[in-house]
Amino acid sequence: MIDISRNRTIPFRIRRRQTIALTLLVVTGVINYLDRATLAVANEFIRADLGLSMGQMGILLSAFSWSYALCQLPVGVLVDKIGPRWLLGAGLVLWSLAQAAGGLVSSFGWFVLARIVLGIGEAPQFPAAARVVSNWFPLRARGTPTGIFNSASPLGFALAPLCLSPLIAATSWHWAFFVTGALGIVAAVVWVILYRDPVREELSEAERSYLDEGQVVEEGPKAGFESWRALFRHRATWGMLLGFFGSVYLNWVFLTWLPGYLRTERHMDVAYVGVAASIPFVCGFAGALVAGWASDRITRRASSAVAGRRTAVVLAMLGMVAFTIPAALVESNTAAIACISIVIFLANAASACSWSLATAVAPHSRVASLGAIQNFGGFIGGALAPIFTGYIAQSWSFVPALLTGAGIAFLGAMSYQFLVMRPISEQE
């Protein structure tokens, strides 16, 4: 196997650990997003069973994102301090129990509580994944593995309607929560058994040289809340926080409301909605993979790793904006699905590039911390998107809701472009 960054052969032990780590991150990431998407797939059944309005469903869809976003702030520090193995393992157990509990609830209030706990449990997934990539891949080769672990999110959303819709039809919406919860418990055990962080003292000189390539190794403050707070002194941190807010806001408009939008606004038949809602997320899966590969190549030709990865993020986000506008306005359902598919392709490309950017901007000891701060901003957007979309659609229609998302994403792209300019040193 050849290292795409420098055409160097990857040491065998490193290559094996990279393969194991990425495989596990994709599997746990798919389960993570299956759990998030279960509520969206079962949207109409739950609304009918519990007697919820569209506004209440918007609150329920956003409950996960609020706790998930708020937990990003401490969880990034904990991943840097404790390590991804145990923190992600514990998170898997907690979120899987919360997911299974969602199948037992019988009232709006208890359902909101179950989704809040789900968000707490899922919080370590992506900061841990960013730390794993930082641990096992050299600086200029992190785009591709970041794209691979990010591909789990659209893959999970693509599989959700295909797998869960038949299960709900054959049993009830409750069983969709029970089955996905059980999958997470199994994944937690496998993750803790198989994943390990690199121990530098146990690496050969060739292995250390490979992992350190392109990175300035410097002593800095140990991971902790003091060093975490110091990140907020840098405008790059705020640019990433605000930029990801815009990216995730628009993405979550579609992630949480696409099946309901296709049924309510475009009057698609329920049998067709499952397939139609899956198509954009299959495109999103491809977008995450292509973006990682493209980001590495742009970075190798750019003046710096930060400049290259920032450019990739901004271009993808501007494309999201450009295709959301016709998606909202065209009369043809086929054309709308095509435009939405491109938006989701670019949204996942932007997400993969944003996480790669975090590994380039952050000092090595605070990669998970900066990635989590960026993710906090994103999921504040993710929390607001379903609420605003639900109430705007209820008051007017989905058209102004989609156009609002496009405007917010544009402002996010400008935040990346003008605020994220250089890496943060260990000493800063």
Side-chain angles (χ1 to χ4, degrees):
M1 186 173 180
I2 302 298
D3 177 1
I4 61 172
S5 68
R6 299 277 183 172
N7 289 329
R8 287 180 54 189
T9 301
I10 303 175
F12 174 76
R13 286 201 305 171
I14 299 292
R15 180 182 63 192
R16 183 178 61 188
R17 286 296 177 183
Q18 288 175 341
T19 302
I20 291 171
L22 284 178
T23 300
L24 292 173
L25 288 176
V26 170
V27 171
T28 56
V30 166
I31 294 171
N32 184 296
Y33 270 80
L34 276 174
D35 291 352
R36 300 187 197 191
T38 304
L39 183 61
V41 173
N43 186 324
E44 286 189 285
F45 300 96
I46 294 171
R47 277 167 49 199
D49 197 8
L50 301 184
L52 305 180
S53 68
M54 287 183 69
Q56 286 178 306
M57 180 54 72
I59 293 172
L60 186 55
L61 286 165
S62 75
F64 159 87
S65 295
W66 285 111
S67 59
Y68 180 87
L70 292 172
C71 284
Q72 291 301 301
L73 297 176
V75 85
V77 181
L78 293 173
V79 169
D80 282 328
K81 194 172 184 65
I82 299 172
R85 182 187 176 207
W86 290 109
L87 210 60
L88 180 52
L92 270 160
V93 172
L94 179 61
W95 97 53
S96 299
L97 293 174
Q99 175 72 356
L104 297 173
V105 300
S106 58
S107 69
F108 175 70
W110 283 109
F111 217 147
V112 168
L113 179 60
R115 297 297 288 185
I116 289 172
V117 177
L118 180 73
I120 295 170
E122 290 199 356
Q125 175 74 38
F126 283 87
R131 183 71 195 193
V132 168
V133 168
S134 177
N135 285 344
W136 285 109
F137 292 85
L139 180 61
R140 289 185 180 269
R142 291 175 185 167
T144 297
T146 302
I148 290 172
F149 82 66
N150 266 275
S151 71
S153 58
L155 182 58
F157 271 111
L159 291 174
L162 294 177
C163 299
L164 299 180
S165 294
L167 177 62
I168 292 170
T171 56
S172 71
W173 63 264
H174 305 273
W175 278 97
F177 288 86
F178 297 151
V179 170
T180 50
L183 286 175
I185 296 294
V186 174
V189 175
V190 175
W191 168 260
V192 171
I193 290 174
L194 294 183
Y195 178 75
R196 294 293 185 277
D197 285 323
V199 178
R200 293 190 67 82
E201 293 76 14
E202 298 176 2
L203 300 177
S204 68
E205 184 62 34
E207 290 168 338
R208 286 195 295 270
S209 176
Y210 167 77
L211 293 176
D212 292 340
E213 184 179 359
Q215 181 167 293
V216 177
V217 180
E218 52 182 337
E219 290 296 323
K222 292 185 180 295
F225 285 97
E226 192 61 41
S227 61
W228 169 80
R229 283 197 297 268
L231 291 171
F232 286 95
R233 295 201 298 262
H234 302 276
R235 70 177 188 174
T237 300
W238 290 99
M240 294 169 68
L241 187 156
L242 295 171
F244 212 45
F245 176 98
S247 176
V248 175
Y249 182 99
L250 181 54
N251 194 19
W252 270 72
V253 168
F254 293 107
L255 292 184
T256 54
W257 277 107
L258 183 56
Y261 165 71
L262 296 178
R263 286 279 297 124
T264 304
E265 187 81 7
R266 294 199 169 268
H267 310 294
M268 289 188 181
D269 183 78
V270 68
Y272 180 60
V273 165
V275 176
S278 294
I279 293 171
F281 299 115
V282 172
C283 293
F285 174 69
L289 295 177
V290 171
W293 173 85
S295 176
D296 279 339
R297 274 147 184 76
I298 292 172
T299 299
R300 288 205 299 275
R301 290 167 173 79
S303 58
S304 69
V306 172
R309 300 206 187 279
R310 182 192 65 228
T311 298
V313 175
V314 172
L315 290 176
M317 289 182 66
L318 292 177
M320 291 168 63
V321 173
F323 283 94
T324 297
I325 295 170
L329 299 176
V330 296
E331 293 186 8
S332 166
N333 286 347
T334 301
I337 290 294
C339 289
I340 292 170
S341 296
I342 296 172
V343 173
I344 300 300
F345 176 96
L346 293 170
N348 284 277
S351 179
C353 293
S354 296
W355 281 100
S356 295
L357 179 62
T359 70
V361 173
H364 181 72
S365 68
R366 288 175 279 172
V367 168
S369 297
L370 183 59
I373 291 170
Q374 176 179 245
N375 211 26
F376 164 75
F379 277 86
I380 291 296
L384 293 173
I387 295 176
F388 287 172
T389 301
Y391 279 105
I392 292 172
Q394 185 172 282
S395 302
W396 294 282
S397 75
F398 276 99
V399 172
L402 297 183
L403 296 179
T404 298
I408 291 172
F410 177 80
L411 294 176
M414 294 303 98
S415 297
Y416 275 119
Q417 179 64 33
F418 295 111
L419 294 177
V420 185
M421 307 302 293
R422 67 178 185 85
I424 298 170
S425 167
E426 287 282 8
Q427 304 303 325
E428 295 182 275

